Amino acid sequence: MNEAYLAGRALASALGPDLANAVQAVAAGVAPRTVTLADGSSWPWYAIADDEADWASRSRRLVQQSAREAGADPTGALFIASSSLDIGLIESTGQLPHDHHAFAETVAGWLGWQGPVYTVSTACTSGLNALMSARTLVRHGVVPHALVLGLELRNTLTLGGFAGMQLLSPTGALPYGVGRNGLVLGEAVAALQVSAQPSRWRIAGGANVVDGRDPAGSIESAEIDMCHQALADSGLSAADIDLVKPQAAGGAASDATEARALHQVFDPLPPLVSFKAAIGHTLGASGVAELALLTACLESNHWPRADHAQDPALQAPLANVPPSRARHVLASILGFGGGHTAVVLEDTQA
């Protein structure tokens, strides 16, 4: 059986049009925009600084740019990971595609894709679930390589839905912080190229655990199971993990639940890092976007600021500097519907 590696990556986000700009900006951060909804409520939102009005033209250009940046090969498999898909196009034109896979076929057309095309839409866990599916195809030799695109594109329906559920912060993202009061959403076009050809980052394993007892929140026991299954799939123990990138979305209850679960798995707790205060929670794209940014930060020794007061009750402070060594990294995303997903990466040069 083959191994699977990250052979390329890309990110367009609030931090900049590409990953190089994002890494340079991650320490200083950027301020989110303010979006006012039809009901007059206003919310911070991390947008890509590209104001072209035509939704389809803008999206096509961002997708093509990220695919080039990641070194995409159109003969492999293509995974489209998103929770909102092309809802922004429907908002701007009133055009309704025939089904949920129509957008993936549209993106494939933008890229001149020749291989199989898949849609993965499991809410916020879409990106990591797509990555694990791509890993499976590559490991079994079904395809030599695959491109995983995490797409969360401009629209107001998602923002309005989260506002209606009272899940948004009106002030700012404070992952694991004192006074955290909700999520700040963000926009991202992110890409991970998966290949059997050896490169620096090996996808060591992963797990997806679904527990629907709380369809809008996380379950402590499910998070623990997720970590244990991801470690077992990777052939590792908790002591082998040098860095954890948790969900850390800034919710009062969800952050506390996650921190309790991590303490049940790791003793002592490895260094933690979060990118939610840098690019927002990019929902279905978040797994791809945060892995692209995380691996680039580790390679370049850049690091997101964590200058807000950390909640001492969690006993899980975010690291202010990168770890001196991070051979094994566990990254997780939690999502609506009871999804708890984690992947483990191995830095083969560490």
Side-chain angles (χ1 to χ4, degrees):
M1 184 178 297
N2 298 323
E3 294 288 353
Y5 299 85
L6 298 184
R9 65 199 171 200
L11 174 64
S13 69
L15 291 176
D18 54 32
L19 195 53
N21 279 278
V23 167
Q24 292 297 322
V26 72
V30 296
R33 296 185 178 185
T34 299
V35 176
T36 300
L37 300 176
D39 65 356
S41 64
S42 296
W43 307 96
W45 182 56
Y46 286 94
I48 297 172
D50 183 326
D51 294 326
E52 179 181 346
D54 187 296
W55 189 94
S57 174
R58 176 180 184 267
S59 300
R60 180 175 62 248
R61 178 167 43 77
L62 291 170
V63 166
Q64 292 173 337
Q65 169 190 305
S66 291
R68 284 194 302 270
E69 184 183 353
D73 183 332
T75 62
L78 175 64
F79 289 84
I80 304 300
S82 178
S83 62
S84 62
L85 299 169
D86 55 352
I87 193 68
L89 176 63
I90 297 170
E91 286 181 348
S92 62
T93 67
Q95 297 175 5
L96 180 64
H98 296 294
D99 61 39
H100 71 282
H101 192 59
F103 180 55
E105 295 290 356
T106 296
V107 172
W110 291 346
L111 299 175
W113 208 261
Q114 302 165 31
V117 180
Y118 305 91
T119 295
V120 179
S121 187
T122 57
C124 302
T125 59
S126 300
L128 291 190
N129 280 326
L131 181 63
M132 288 199 295
S133 295
R135 172 181 179 252
T136 298
L137 294 189
V138 169
R139 291 190 80 202
H140 288 273
V142 178
V143 294
H145 39 74
L147 180 69
V148 180
L149 279 175
L151 305 178
E152 212 61 49
L153 293 158
R154 184 176 66 196
N155 74 88
T156 57
L157 180 66
T158 302
L159 200 63
F162 275 76
M165 291 185 285
Q166 302 180 42
L167 293 173
L168 296 183
S169 168
T171 51
L174 298 173
Y176 284 17
V178 173
R180 62 188 183 278
N181 57 1
L183 313 180
V184 176
L185 302 184
E187 182 187 23
V189 175
L192 293 173
Q193 175 78 357
V194 180
S195 172
Q197 294 297 316
S199 56
R200 178 164 179 171
W201 293 96
R202 183 175 72 91
I203 307 171
N208 177 49
V209 173
V210 177
D211 187 330
R213 284 178 289 171
D214 183 350
S218 57
I219 300 291
E220 183 175 336
S221 61
E223 294 191 37
I224 294 170
D225 289 345
M226 171 197 74
C227 290
H228 286 157
Q229 290 184 30
L231 291 169
D233 189 51
S234 307
L236 299 171
S237 69
D240 294 318
I241 299 300
D242 305 301
L243 176 69
V244 173
K245 187 220 68 63
Q247 167 81 341
S254 59
D255 280 11
T257 300
E258 183 174 47
R260 287 196 304 272
L262 292 175
H263 280 292
Q264 294 294 313
V265 176
F266 299 100
D267 184 18
L269 202 61
L272 305 177
V273 64
S274 171
F275 295 98
K276 296 293 195 299
I279 60 173
H281 183 17
T282 59
L283 301 174
S286 59
V288 181
E290 294 181 16
L291 277 186
L293 191 52
L294 172 61
T295 53
C297 283
L298 286 169
E299 291 176 16
S300 63
N301 210 35
H302 289 80
W303 208 241
R305 63 180 181 180
D307 54 1
H308 58 279
Q310 299 290 294
D311 185 350
L314 303 185
Q315 300 183 52
L318 301 177
N320 286 311
V321 295
S324 58
R325 180 179 183 274
R327 182 169 178 81
H328 296 112
V329 178
L330 183 145
S332 65
I333 294 291
L334 315 176
F336 280 178
H340 303 68
T341 309
V343 299
V344 177
L345 298 182
E346 178 187 42
D347 184 350
T348 61
Q349 298 181 16

